[in-house]
């Protein structure tokens, strides 16, 4: 269940990024990263600029991503029984 929830969040962020950008602006291309923090960082700036969200909403999203990112920064902890 943990993997499914985390993967759904990751794919939703990537889907929004693809809709808004041709590629992820970070160090990694969008299709190679599983970093929820980095995906959100790339997405929140245009959403704030376009006034789709405000600072409070951006902070709430960051806080909701944090438990997944803290436990599984690389996107593998829920997938494999070892590091």
């Amino acid at each position: 269940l943990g993997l499914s929830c985390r993967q759904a969040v990751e794919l939703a962020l990537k889907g929004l990024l693809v809709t808004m950008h041709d590629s992820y602006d970070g160090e990694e291309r969008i299709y190679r990263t599983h970093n929820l923090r980095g995906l959100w960082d790339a997405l929140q700036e245009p959403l704030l600029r376009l006034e789709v969200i405000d600072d409070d909403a951006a902070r709430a999203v960051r806080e909701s991503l944090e438990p997944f990112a803290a436990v599984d920064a690389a996107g593998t902890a829920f997938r494999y029984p070892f590091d």
Side-chain angles (χ1 to χ4, degrees), residues 17-50:
L17 274 169
V18 167
T19 300
M20 300 196 63
H21 300 294
D22 289 336
S23 66
Y24 169 50
D25 257 355
E27 295 174 11
E28 305 170 272
R29 306 263 313 157
I30 188 173
Y31 55 86
R32 289 201 173 162
T33 188
H34 302 287
N35 183 329
L36 298 179
R37 292 176 183 125
L39 291 168
W40 177 244
D41 288 345
L43 185 57
Q44 79 174 350
E45 188 276 323
L47 291 176
L48 287 166
R49 187 171 18 91
L50 294 169

Side-chain angles (χ1 to χ4, degrees), residues 4 6-7 10-11 13 16 19 22 25 38 42-44 49 52-54 56 68 70 72 75 77-78 80-81 83:
S4 296
R6 191 200 183 286
Q7 188 169 26
E10 179 183 330
L11 293 175
L13 292 173
L16 287 168
T19 300
D22 289 336
D25 257 355
L43 185 57
Q44 79 174 350
R49 187 171 18 91
V52 174
I53 61 171
D54 61 15
D56 290 336
F68 288 111
D72 190 10
F78 293 115
Y80 306 110
D83 286 337

